[in-house]
Amino acid sequence: MKKDEKWMLLAIKEAKLAESEGEVPVGAVLVKEDLLIAKAHNQSILKNNATAHAEMQTIQLAGKKLNNYRLNGTTLYVTLEPCAMCFGAMIHARIERIVYGAYDSKTGVCGSCGDLRNAMFFKHSIVVTSGVLEVENQKILKSFFNNLRLLKKNK
């Protein structure tokens, strides 16, 4: 198993925790020098907070753990392509690399819906790797939204 897949599997576990809480199943982990720094999952509904995405939660936990808002030399693994809010936070945190699983054609900004990867107005750039365990990640998301539609239909 490749290193990226190893860490993505842990992010998938976080996504499943989100799903068990009724949240959109997205999970994230932050790694530095092959050591886990922080992990989290979506909690926007639970916390009544639109910013409580998996990536934002992970960045906040990592900052507290490292006692620094700069997360230089880290890689963030996330099951779904980041949105603009999360990508902006990653830029400010100076995350070195993003690895994501499923593409997000509605809000993803790493090439799907938009592309901020090489935006000239950022002073920091992030290396992006996409499609790691993509099928597994898509399956979790599709199943969640299909079940949600069924519940709404049967009400």
Side-chain angles (χ1 to χ4, degrees):
M1 177 184 307
K2 297 177 185 173
K3 184 176 7 176
D4 285 348
E5 291 174 351
K6 168 191 157 185
W7 293 113
M8 186 60 73
L9 286 172
L10 186 55
I12 288 171
K13 284 183 182 179
E14 286 295 314
K16 290 179 179 179
L17 281 174
E19 184 174 30
S20 73
E21 295 173 359
E23 299 279 349
V24 175
V26 178
V29 299
L30 190 77
V31 174
K32 184 172 184 173
E33 297 171 1
D34 210 32
L35 295 172
L36 177 66
I37 304 299
K39 61 183 179 174
H41 54 276
N42 273 4
Q43 291 190 314
S44 296
I45 298 166
L46 185 69
K47 293 185 174 187
N48 294 307
N49 182 345
T51 68
H53 289 190
E55 301 97 309
M56 300 294 280
Q57 304 275 86
T58 303
I59 290 168
Q60 290 172 9
L61 289 169
K64 287 178 184 175
K65 183 172 183 179
L66 298 176
N67 201 31
N68 194 339
Y69 75 103
R70 297 285 197 213
L71 303 174
N72 295 317
T74 60
T75 299
L76 190 133
Y77 293 85
V78 61
T79 58
L80 181 65
E81 181 178 2
C83 69
M85 173 186 67
C86 294
F87 191 85
M90 292 176 213
I91 289 286
H92 287 290
R94 301 297 192 263
I95 288 172
E96 184 176 307
R97 183 169 174 242
I98 300 167
V99 178
Y100 71 87
Y103 295 85
D104 185 351
S105 61
K106 293 182 181 176
T107 63
V109 295
C110 295
S112 293
C113 177
D115 196 348
L116 295 178
R117 292 175 293 186
N118 299 309
M120 301 299 263
F121 46 85
F122 293 135
K123 292 183 180 180
H124 175 70
S125 62
I126 301 176
V127 175
V128 177
T129 303
S130 59
V132 174
L133 298 179
E134 178 184 2
V135 172
E136 293 87 336
N137 285 297
Q138 284 177 338
K139 188 176 179 182
I140 292 165
L141 287 158
K142 284 181 182 178
S143 174
F144 174 81
F145 286 112
N146 284 339
N147 289 338
L148 193 62
R149 284 194 242 357
L150 281 173
L151 284 173
K152 286 182 180 180
K153 184 180 178 181
N154 291 331
K155 279 189 174 182

